[in-house]
Amino acid sequence: MTTIDSLGEFGLINKISQLVPPPRHQDTVRGIGDDAAVIGTDGDEYLLMSSDMLLEGVHFDLMYMPLQHLGFKAVAVNISDMAAMNGLPSQLTVNIGISSRFTVEAVEELYKGIAAACEAYNVDLVGGDTTASRSGLTISVTVLGKVPKERIAYRNTAQPNDVICVTGDLGAAYLGLQLLEREKQVYLSDPTMQPNLDEKAYLVQRQLRPDARTDIVHELRDLDIKPTAMIDISDGLASEILHLCTQSQTGAVIFDDTIPIDDQSYLAADEFKISPVTAALNGGEDYELLFTIRPQEFEKLKNHARITAIGYMTADPSQVVLATRAGQHTPIKAQGWKHF
């Protein structure tokens, strides 16, 4: 028998996709294998659909995750998938499995966070389901969105010489998680100790309440830039660049000194004796966008404050490397979040 952890998440997805029959409907444009499913319409837009599940004890710890933040995050991580297709969200449904240890007031707190995310991203909550759970709290969110047909971005359409870009900064969410886990252990050993994370507020916020980058979707449209390929960074930069390269059948060179890392991340990485570049490559949960553009488009955003060019695509799929200023090339390997 084959254990699930020997395959990993994407190996399991590939195995499942082999068992699923080919699309029966002409309007099923893209199914398994991208950030969202793509459904054709008679108009000039595609319908996008994405679903994610968060489980207590696996994806979040209620010892330090406020329920309002959890509600917001559950929505944001799904909307990030819309942004990764160069689209924008419109509706969502929320399903929760909840145990009897939770009060009505706790459910209200959770939905306050969901409502705040709906307001922030201009999305309508249109339904869902609630059920009893014997194993804590489970949240499943499905988001619907739209994208103009001529602007949709997939994972498998990058080309050699494309410029690789990333939004925001990387590694902060992972380092925020390390801080929260450390403070949890301190509290468990001595409940009189109260954490003081004021100077690390940015890192904690990046873990507890991430933002989906729908703002970048709007800005790319304003600049008339269509990414040649795009993915959101949920499992770490290394994992996501490997996905783009595998599906586009390209290689890549990423320059380690161009990866955007916040000053607080540098300080926290030093505190934990972690390389900040390693945190950026393998940490995950940043929910920034990783995308490629044609070289001639780079002039339009080279001075953009929230977008950084970090490398370029190559023609050799066997070479996905991290390059140092000294000229050393190290193969990039995915060592981020493991789902099983």
Side-chain angles (χ1 to χ4, degrees):
M1 301 295 286
T2 305
T3 60
I4 293 177
D5 62 350
S6 68
L7 287 179
E9 181 197 15
F10 290 98
L12 182 61
I13 290 172
N14 289 336
K15 181 68 68 174
I16 292 170
S17 67
Q18 294 168 16
L19 301 173
V20 174
R24 299 179 177 88
H25 301 279
Q26 277 190 327
D27 55 357
T28 303
V29 178
R30 181 66 63 95
I32 297 172
D34 223 301
D35 284 278
V38 182
I39 312 299
T41 68
D42 293 333
D44 57 2
E45 293 181 312
Y46 285 125
L47 177 68
L48 303 173
M49 182 171 65
S50 179
S51 185
D52 269 304
M53 187 180 297
L54 300 179
L55 278 73
E56 184 180 355
V58 177
H59 301 102
F60 60 88
D61 187 332
L62 290 177
M63 277 200 70
Y64 51 72
M65 169 65 83
L67 284 166
Q68 277 200 41
H69 286 356
L70 177 60
F72 191 100
K73 183 174 183 176
V75 174
V77 301
N78 279 269
I79 287 175
S80 184
D81 289 331
M82 299 288 104
M85 305 296 291
N86 207 24
L88 295 169
S90 50
Q91 292 88 20
L92 63 83
T93 63
V94 176
N95 303 318
I96 62 169
I98 194 162
S99 70
S100 59
R101 85 172 196 270
F102 289 90
T103 63
V104 172
E105 289 76 16
V107 176
E108 288 177 339
E109 287 296 298
L110 178 70
Y111 273 85
K112 283 178 184 178
I114 292 170
C118 289
E119 181 72 24
Y121 298 113
N122 192 30
V123 182
D124 295 330
L125 174 58
V126 296
D129 188 26
T130 58
T131 185
S133 168
R134 294 183 179 178
S135 57
L137 178 61
T138 297
I139 308 171
S140 176
V141 178
T142 297
V143 176
L144 299 177
K146 298 175 183 176
V147 59
K149 290 180 178 179
E150 74 277 4
R151 290 210 169 265
I152 192 164
Y154 295 111
R155 295 179 180 181
N156 66 342
T157 43
Q159 304 168 53
N161 300 317
D162 280 355
V163 180
I164 302 169
C165 300
V166 68
T167 63
D169 61 86
L170 304 179
Y174 171 76
L175 290 163
L177 179 61
Q178 303 313 301
L179 288 165
L180 290 165
E181 286 288 345
R182 182 184 68 185
E183 295 304 318
K184 172 186 171 181
Q185 295 306 315
V186 170
Y187 174 79
L188 289 174
S189 63
D190 183 0
T192 65
M193 295 291 291
Q194 293 299 313
N196 182 7
L197 295 172
D198 291 346
E199 294 182 359
K200 308 287 198 315
Y202 176 69
L203 304 182
V204 172
Q205 177 263 321
R206 291 281 281 172
Q207 170 58 217
L208 297 182
R209 196 180 183 276
D211 280 319
R213 300 312 303 264
T214 53
D215 58 322
I216 297 297
V217 175
H218 288 292
E219 291 181 24
L220 291 176
R221 292 183 186 183
D222 291 342
L223 292 167
D224 194 27
I225 294 174
K226 178 192 171 184
T228 53
M230 185 147 63
I231 191 171
D232 75 329
I233 301 177
S234 56
D235 296 331
L237 175 61
S239 177
E240 313 306 358
I241 191 62
L242 287 169
H243 289 320
L244 287 188
C245 289
T246 298
Q247 295 204 23
S248 296
Q249 297 185 320
T250 62
V253 176
I254 296 223
F255 299 102
D256 68 346
D257 60 348
T258 63
I259 297 173
I261 299 171
D262 186 80
D263 288 345
Q264 281 195 29
S265 297
Y266 276 110
L267 292 172
D270 182 65
E271 189 176 334
F272 284 104
K273 303 296 188 290
I274 299 171
S275 161
V277 172
T278 298
L281 284 171
N282 301 313
E285 290 202 291
D286 291 305
Y287 297 104
E288 297 291 346
L289 295 175
L290 174 68
F291 63 94
T292 56
I293 58 173
R294 297 303 296 157
Q296 58 267 28
E297 300 270 40
F298 178 62
E299 195 69 24
K300 297 178 184 178
L301 54 71
K302 68 177 183 180
N303 295 318
H304 196 292
R306 295 181 300 282
I307 297 175
T308 306
I310 60 171
Y312 61 92
M313 289 296 201
T314 67
D316 185 354
S318 69
Q319 295 293 311
V320 182
V321 299
L322 185 70
T324 68
R325 186 171 292 181
Q328 296 177 317
H329 287 113
T330 304
I332 291 176
K333 298 180 180 179
Q335 300 175 23
W337 167 254
K338 288 183 173 55
H339 295 255
F340 301 100

